[in-house]
Amino acid sequence: MATNVGSSSTNEAESEKVAIEQRLLKLDEVFVYKIPAMKTADGHRAEDWNLATPLATCSLVVNRRDDSLCINIMAERPKANAPPGATESYLFAQSIIQVKSDQSSHKLEHWVEPVVDSSRYFAMRIRDSRTGREAFIGIGFRERNDATNFRMTMEDYVAALKREEKAQVLHQQFEQSLEHQSAEGRDGGEQPLPSMSNLSLKEGEKIHINIKGGGGSKRVTPAASNKQTPKKGLVGLRKPPPPPPDVDAVAAKASSVENTVSNTQEKEEEEDDEWGDFEG
């Protein structure tokens, strides 16, 4: 009975899995061609497709659904039970690409292959969902920008798959490292960290705090607050000593002083001589 419950829950989980679909590109005009088999091993050539008369003119929509890339070619047809001129879109052809890096048969070129003589035409593998038969058709674009966007969309899809695979590998390695650490902890007998105790106060409990110097408040004057107290461990820088004096300049200054002194002495002696006649 338990086995049945487990299998039923697994089936429910698989049925509830939601597929994510994202539109990557939409082009309003694409030409569809019926192409012959390759004549050489070099690849398909657009010049063999009778480009002047395409099989149909359709629109192209590229969607990503999980890990698959769906290229839908949509055509228009008259809408039944509608006024004249009313049309509706329907699926003309579809190619479902499932790239797998570890399988050579699941490369991008298995489904879409550019021709060797043009950059605007591609050979695309389509599959009938009812019969399972596969065939190649040719698609082409009038504008070169449309062909470039189509090619870059497929390349971005392949690059995204590679990034996702790398991220998945790193995630698995991280989980394995966590399991290894937990196993080592169990073998080593490590105890889990104790839970933090409740430090909240119970009803009626008080906390007394003694604050030193809290008896009075000291008023700080603006002048005192502007003064900056010197920090310990800092030494003031002294001014550098003055440069040594010039020897020539000092000698010239000394000689001028001596001349001044000698002249002053001579003048005093002359005055003494003049006043000497009046001495009694």
Side-chain angles (χ1 to χ4, degrees):
M1 186 69 179
T3 305
N4 295 334
V5 173
S7 60
S8 62
S9 61
T10 304
N11 295 332
E12 291 178 358
E14 293 178 353
S15 61
E16 291 177 357
K17 184 180 178 180
V18 178
I20 300 176
E21 186 168 354
Q22 179 185 8
R23 174 171 292 187
L24 304 180
L25 181 66
K26 184 179 185 303
L27 299 175
D28 295 331
E29 186 182 54
V30 60
F31 302 113
V32 181
Y33 300 93
K34 183 178 180 180
I35 62 176
M38 286 191 302
K39 296 181 179 179
T40 61
D42 296 336
H44 295 274
R45 304 184 68 87
E47 62 182 8
D48 300 331
W49 294 358
N50 194 10
L51 300 179
T53 57
L55 181 64
T57 301
C58 307
S59 60
L60 182 140
V61 179
V62 181
N63 296 329
R64 178 176 176 179
R65 184 179 178 88
D66 288 342
D67 293 338
S68 302
L69 191 71
C70 301
I71 302 176
N72 299 326
I73 297 178
M74 310 298 295
E76 299 286 337
R77 63 185 176 188
K79 188 174 182 181
N81 300 326
T87 59
E88 62 178 358
S89 299
Y90 69 99
L91 184 62
F92 183 83
Q94 184 183 54
S95 178
I96 300 178
I97 302 173
Q98 294 179 338
V99 173
K100 296 181 180 179
S101 58
D102 57 344
Q103 298 182 13
S104 59
S105 60
H106 285 70
K107 301 294 184 181
L108 181 62
E109 293 76 11
H110 178 75
W111 287 276
V112 180
E113 182 180 355
V115 298
V116 297
D117 58 343
S118 178
S119 61
R120 295 186 292 115
Y121 296 90
F122 303 84
M124 187 173 68
R125 184 189 297 268
I126 61 174
R127 183 175 182 273
D128 191 346
S129 59
R130 294 175 298 178
T131 61
R133 295 180 57 187
E134 294 184 350
F136 273 101
I137 62 172
I139 60 173
F141 303 93
R142 186 189 305 272
E143 300 294 336
R144 196 175 303 276
N145 290 336
D146 292 343
T148 302
N149 293 335
F150 176 68
R151 184 178 65 255
M152 292 183 64
T153 299
M154 294 185 294
E155 293 176 354
D156 292 342
Y157 157 71
V158 175
L161 287 181
K162 292 181 179 179
R163 290 194 300 267
E164 293 170 2
E165 290 177 357
K166 185 176 180 180
Q168 186 176 3
V169 170
L170 294 176
H171 181 69
Q172 292 177 355
Q173 293 176 355
F174 177 72
E175 288 184 345
Q176 292 175 359
S177 64
L178 291 180
E179 293 177 357
H180 182 67
Q181 292 177 2
S182 61
E184 289 182 351
R186 289 192 299 268
D187 296 339
E190 296 181 357
Q191 298 296 331
L193 295 175
S195 59
M196 296 184 65
S197 59
N198 187 9
L199 303 179
S200 60
L201 295 177
K202 298 180 180 180
E203 186 177 358
E205 291 183 345
K206 296 181 181 179
I207 295 178
H208 298 277
I209 302 175
N210 295 327
I211 302 177
K212 295 182 179 180
S217 61
K218 184 178 179 180
R219 180 177 298 176
V220 180
T221 59
S225 63
N226 292 333
K227 294 181 179 179
Q228 297 181 354
T229 59
K231 297 182 179 179
K232 295 182 179 180
L234 298 180
V235 179
L237 298 178
R238 296 181 179 180
K239 295 183 178 180
D246 191 359
V247 178
D248 297 336
V250 173
K253 187 175 182 179
S255 62
S256 62
V257 171
E258 291 177 356
N259 295 332
T260 304
V261 173
S262 62
N263 294 333
T264 303
Q265 292 177 353
E266 292 177 357
K267 187 175 182 180
E268 291 178 352
E269 291 177 356
E270 291 176 357
E271 290 179 352
D272 293 338
D273 294 340
E274 293 176 357
W275 289 96
D277 297 337
F278 294 95
E279 292 180 358

